[in-house]
Amino acid sequence: MEGNRKFGYCRRLLPAGKGPRLPEVTCLISPLGCFSLYEKILDNIEERRQVSTTAVFTFLKAIVANPFPKPGRSVQVRAFSARGGEMETVTFTRPLDSRLEHVDFSILFSTLPPRKIIQLFSSMLMERRVILCSSNLSLLTGCAHALLALLYPFEWQHVFIPVLPGALIEFCCSPLPYLMGMHPSLIPALDEMETMEEALVVDLDKKKFVKKIGDETSILPSKLFQYLEHTLGSPAVTSEYQKPSGKKSSTSRADEIITNTFMIFFVYLYGDYRQYMKKKADGSIEFAKKEYEKKFSSKSIRRFLEAFHMTQMFDIFAEQRENPLKSEMTSQSTFERSTIHVMKDRCMEIEIFSSKSKISRWRLRKRI
């Protein structure tokens, strides 16, 4: 009800010994998404578990006794070594920005063409119900996490189930927004559900939409949709992700283009939002939605913003910046620290691209 979320980090291992043994799973629950840090903690737990459970609990007590590091900072934990009785120092570093730690864009962009990805992105901005289907579970979870990452600096505030068991398929009847993944064998069961008209169902294995509402291409203003499709369809992205498995080079350049493209999209829409944080008579701060919408001359952008400003994603985004304490924390995010200042000039790319598109269409009409 409060929109809170917890992350589970799991490690499955077989205890040392001979003969039949039951596997064990260590699960750490945290309100923070910090995959690399918790992975290192689990590595240490696994190493010590091969010695004894006492070594594990001693190590965990040492961790809990230390404060959790702030973004970009480290904490040093003194604990007994797993290899002997000597004390050792283990350093745990929290990344400055961990939002992309567990995201692999190559999975999503080698599975679906840019146009379909943008349609999915648009539907999620409107907080609709989205179902991804694949017989490959790693493909399913990889695409789901990549889609969520595209929403930054906004966060999906609703149900997120990367793999839904068949026994729980009735959850798809929920009238609330969700992003779920399931095996394609369950698609026929969706056809029998009366409430599935307002859902977008994608078969990742066949690279096609099984169900759609029909307006997915018109949700975004046309110049923004065209800009995203043009940039994401550039050879720098497609050539890298279309290479055969095993022949791919580092996708850091393609990933950078993707993240920057969506960042420019949001900076174009909200780069100067701080100018519209107005102080009310009671001293509180409020984002002036209507005034902000009117600053755009484009009717299609104003219509999109009117709809987007009604979403819970935007409400949380605005609430975090209206609250002085939360605003101080968000000011250290990637979006606030560098993007608004560095990428604001790059928003002109959208206007320039839009102008070129208009000229091309005008020339085409002249020839016709």
Side-chain angles (χ1 to χ4, degrees):
M1 292 300 291
E2 296 176 355
N4 295 329
R5 178 170 292 166
K6 285 186 170 59
F7 296 83
Y9 306 89
C10 304
R11 178 67 58 85
R12 184 175 184 270
L13 57 92
L14 190 67
K18 295 181 179 180
R21 301 180 305 285
L22 290 174
E24 298 177 353
V25 176
T26 300
C27 183
L28 304 177
I29 305 297
S30 170
L32 297 172
C34 197
F35 285 75
S36 61
L37 186 146
Y38 284 104
E39 183 178 21
K40 187 171 182 179
I41 291 177
L42 287 170
D43 287 342
N44 276 270
I45 289 176
E46 181 174 358
E47 188 178 6
R48 286 165 170 76
R49 180 63 189 91
Q50 302 304 321
V51 178
S52 68
T53 54
T54 302
V56 172
F57 291 127
T58 302
F59 174 69
L60 289 175
K61 287 180 181 179
I63 289 180
V64 174
N66 286 272
F68 197 82
K70 295 180 179 180
R73 301 292 181 84
S74 300
V75 63
Q76 293 185 329
V77 175
R78 294 281 294 168
F80 286 105
S81 170
R83 295 174 294 276
E86 299 179 356
M87 294 290 288
E88 67 174 355
T89 300
V90 185
T91 302
F92 296 98
T93 302
R94 182 179 176 184
L96 188 63
D97 184 1
S98 61
R99 64 191 174 89
L100 298 178
E101 278 191 313
H102 58 296
V103 175
D104 183 358
F105 286 117
S106 67
I107 294 178
L108 178 63
F109 280 80
S110 60
T111 301
L112 295 175
R115 189 173 185 83
K116 283 187 168 61
I117 293 172
I118 298 167
Q119 290 175 318
L120 274 167
F121 169 74
S122 305
S123 298
M124 292 182 67
L125 285 179
M126 292 294 102
E127 295 186 332
R128 292 179 172 177
R129 297 184 292 171
V130 176
I131 298 175
L132 306 178
C133 303
S134 176
S135 55
N136 185 331
L137 295 186
S138 62
L139 174 67
L140 201 57
T141 56
C143 288
H145 280 289
L147 281 170
L148 291 186
L150 296 180
L151 298 174
Y152 180 83
F154 298 90
E155 295 182 24
W156 184 252
Q157 300 296 326
H158 302 282
V159 173
F160 174 48
I161 307 176
V163 182
L164 181 74
L168 302 180
I169 194 171
E170 294 295 328
F171 277 39
C172 295
C173 294
S174 169
L176 301 174
Y178 56 67
L179 174 60
M180 296 186 190
M182 64 175 61
H183 195 276
S185 62
L186 298 175
I187 291 177
L190 296 176
D191 295 333
E192 300 175 4
M193 298 181 178
E194 297 179 357
T195 60
M196 295 305 298
E197 293 83 2
E198 296 296 319
L200 179 61
V201 183
V202 188
D203 188 330
L204 297 175
D205 295 340
K206 297 181 179 179
K207 305 180 187 295
K208 69 175 187 178
F209 290 156
V210 177
K211 289 179 178 290
K212 58 182 180 178
I213 296 173
D215 64 347
E216 289 81 6
T217 306
S218 59
I219 294 173
L220 296 182
S222 60
K223 72 176 180 181
L224 293 177
F225 190 103
Q226 291 168 11
Y227 168 75
L228 290 175
E229 187 174 22
H230 172 79
T231 310
L232 298 174
S234 66
V237 176
T238 56
S239 62
E240 187 62 51
Y241 290 151
Q242 290 175 359
K243 290 180 181 178
S245 179
K247 294 185 178 181
K248 294 181 180 180
S249 59
S250 172
T251 58
S252 58
R253 177 55 183 159
D255 287 351
E256 183 182 355
I257 293 173
I258 291 169
T259 53
N260 285 350
T261 297
F262 283 94
M263 197 77 82
I264 291 169
F265 169 88
F266 284 117
V267 172
Y268 178 83
L269 292 175
Y270 291 104
D272 55 354
Y273 79 88
R274 287 191 176 278
Q275 298 177 26
Y276 294 81
M277 303 300 289
K278 306 296 183 180
K279 184 173 286 189
K280 298 167 64 177
D282 60 0
S284 62
I285 299 174
E286 183 180 51
F287 177 70
K289 292 182 182 179
K290 296 301 180 183
E291 187 178 342
Y292 192 83
E293 292 162 9
K294 291 178 181 177
K295 90 181 187 75
F296 289 93
S297 58
S298 168
K299 291 182 180 179
S300 60
I301 290 181
R302 289 203 298 268
R303 283 195 298 270
F304 168 74
L305 291 179
E306 286 174 4
F308 184 57
H309 287 168
M310 296 176 66
T311 65
Q312 192 170 340
M313 261 192 301
F314 180 81
D315 283 345
I316 298 299
F317 175 87
E319 179 187 319
Q320 289 174 339
R321 286 148 181 86
E322 291 167 348
N323 185 319
L325 295 178
K326 292 182 179 179
S327 179
E328 185 177 349
M329 294 173 61
T330 57
S331 65
Q332 299 302 312
S333 69
T334 300
F335 183 75
E336 308 285 349
R337 274 188 301 104
S338 60
T339 314
I340 290 180
H341 302 293
V342 176
M343 289 192 175
K344 199 166 183 181
D345 291 340
R346 292 193 59 187
C347 289
M348 288 303 296
E349 294 177 15
I350 296 177
E351 297 295 349
I352 294 171
F353 174 79
S354 179
S355 299
K356 288 181 178 178
S357 297
K358 288 178 181 177
I359 293 172
S360 298
R361 290 196 298 272
W362 179 80
R363 287 175 177 171
L364 179 63
R365 285 198 298 270
K366 290 283 285 184
R367 285 198 296 272
I368 293 173

